[in-house]
Amino acid sequence: MPARAATPFDLRRISALLESSLHTGEGIVASALPVPLAGGAIGGWRGLMNGLFGLNGRLRIYLEEYRGQLRSTAFVYDGRRPEWVVLMLAALPEPGGTDSAFRLLSGISASAARSGIQRLFAAVPDEARPRETFFQAGFYSYTRETWYAAAGAALAAPSQRMHARDATSVDAHDLFRFYAMTTPHAVQRAEQLSVQDFDLGRRGGAYDPPHLIGGNPLAMRRRMALIEHDQTKPSAVALSFAGVDRHPNVLKVRTDAGDVDRARDLVRAAVRVLPPGRPITSPVRSYEEHVARALLSEGFRDAATAMLFVKELAVRVEEPALAPAVVR
């Protein structure tokens, strides 16, 4: 049976499949959070109910079934940009579940294209079965991301060398400039971010997963955004988000020129504004290895690795080339 949008009548079956997949970890084909914390990717029972009853216009739930048996389900975030993000995709841990996940992704892609969406993103566990499923569904991987986690213990205060300040809307250009300076071209091409996406006052799309940060944007609240300048150019950025329901706190740090000491100070500053009592996670991409060293030095541990995938649903039209006209 083709993939379809879920209804409130599917609640019991979706809940059972999610519970089974989260318990074993084998059925998680995609997750915006590390598999050990994947339950927070759907925002708890409140997020599930809101999505099924259509109470939150930004969360869509899809499923694929065969002869009355639910074989896969997906939670999709519809943000402010022309793109959707697969927050969670769970399937039965058997060959039939793999086939179902492929059909479900194809159905979601078709639905997104009909809605005028240009890109579809997902964070996929770095394992053979999930990777192959997304490759076969027409996605490609543009970077690897490792999540680091800590129990939430208090860290030391930042050193006196840190001169970061709160970022505002007027810093959008500098934030975009810093992103362009520190991000490989292949990643920039996949994400298609612009200056407007970095406008903090308008909650620009750069601050939604899977771009500068990871997780479920419907279950996170931004607590802090810092920017630091080195003479004439931006040199560091830090973001922190407080989790809601079962979602962990999330922080993101990026520094220029592989500066580990500056990254460590920003990690300390970001943790201090987060509410206690829940895990703290931080996604680090393969080209941010110095940030990983800073996190490890502050007591964080490697939690999981994912591949970031994207599927382009619209064909990019190249600008026409201009040639000199010959005037006789």
Side-chain angles (χ1 to χ4, degrees):
M1 181 177 179
R4 64 172 176 85
T7 71
F9 298 103
D10 300 308
L11 173 62
R12 181 181 60 82
R13 296 188 301 159
I14 290 176
S15 300
L17 178 58
L18 284 175
E19 183 177 355
S20 174
S21 299
L22 293 171
H23 178 71
T24 62
E26 296 179 358
I28 304 299
V29 185
S31 175
L33 287 172
V35 172
L37 301 171
I42 59 174
W45 283 101
R46 184 182 306 171
L48 176 59
M49 296 294 289
N50 288 347
L52 287 173
F53 283 92
L55 300 178
N56 190 322
R58 299 192 180 280
L59 180 64
R60 301 166 182 259
I61 302 178
Y62 294 88
L63 58 82
E64 197 277 340
E65 57 189 347
Y66 180 71
R67 295 182 177 177
Q69 180 191 30
L70 177 64
R71 301 199 298 178
S72 63
T73 185
F75 292 73
V76 179
Y77 172 67
D78 181 1
R80 294 166 175 79
R81 285 164 46 85
E83 60 195 31
W84 285 0
V85 182
V86 179
L87 299 177
M88 168 80 75
L89 197 164
L92 295 176
E94 57 189 41
T98 301
D99 294 340
S100 176
F102 167 77
R103 282 191 288 272
L104 182 57
L105 285 173
S106 299
I108 293 172
S109 299
S111 178
R114 289 192 298 268
S115 300
I117 299 302
Q118 298 175 13
R119 292 170 296 278
L120 188 59
F121 288 95
V124 180
D126 193 9
E127 301 170 2
R129 176 185 179 233
R131 289 197 310 263
E132 191 60 28
T133 300
F134 273 83
F135 281 129
Q136 290 181 358
F139 289 72
Y140 71 88
S141 175
Y142 61 95
T143 191
R144 177 181 279 105
E145 187 171 71
T146 299
W147 282 82
Y148 291 83
L155 303 183
S159 70
Q160 298 297 321
R161 298 188 303 272
M162 194 189 81
H163 301 292
R165 60 169 176 81
D166 291 332
T168 64
S169 292
V170 299
D171 295 305
H173 183 271
D174 277 351
L175 289 166
F176 174 73
R177 181 184 173 196
F178 180 75
Y179 166 81
M181 289 166 42
T182 58
T183 304
H185 178 73
V187 178
Q188 294 184 49
R189 183 186 183 281
E191 295 181 324
Q192 293 292 304
L193 296 175
S194 64
V195 174
Q196 290 75 19
D197 292 311
F198 288 81
D199 189 337
L200 286 158
R202 297 182 181 180
R203 201 181 185 279
Y207 308 105
D208 280 350
H211 306 306
L212 295 185
I213 200 70
N216 177 2
L218 300 174
M220 300 190 302
R221 303 292 181 266
R222 191 173 68 233
R223 285 294 186 90
M224 184 191 72
L226 296 179
I227 185 170
E228 187 169 351
H229 285 76
D230 183 5
Q231 296 178 346
T232 60
K233 69 180 190 302
S235 58
V237 170
L239 301 165
S240 63
F241 294 77
V244 179
D245 292 326
R246 291 189 294 163
H247 201 289
N249 296 327
V250 183
L251 65 87
K252 178 67 178 182
V253 167
R254 183 179 288 186
T255 62
D256 188 18
D259 193 331
V260 177
D261 291 335
R262 180 172 288 166
R264 185 182 300 115
D265 280 337
L266 288 171
V267 167
R268 293 174 177 178
V271 168
R272 290 170 70 86
V273 302
L274 292 173
R278 66 178 65 216
I280 302 173
T281 59
S282 181
V284 178
R285 295 182 175 182
S286 56
Y287 49 88
E288 301 169 334
E289 193 272 336
H290 63 286
V291 178
R293 297 203 303 271
L295 290 166
L296 290 171
S297 70
E298 294 299 320
F300 284 73
R301 293 293 179 265
D302 185 335
T305 299
M307 304 293 293
L308 297 188
F309 277 79
V310 65
K311 183 175 183 178
E312 296 179 355
L313 305 176
V315 178
R316 184 178 294 104
V317 178
E318 301 292 342
E319 296 182 1
L322 299 179
V326 178
V327 179
R328 297 184 184 275

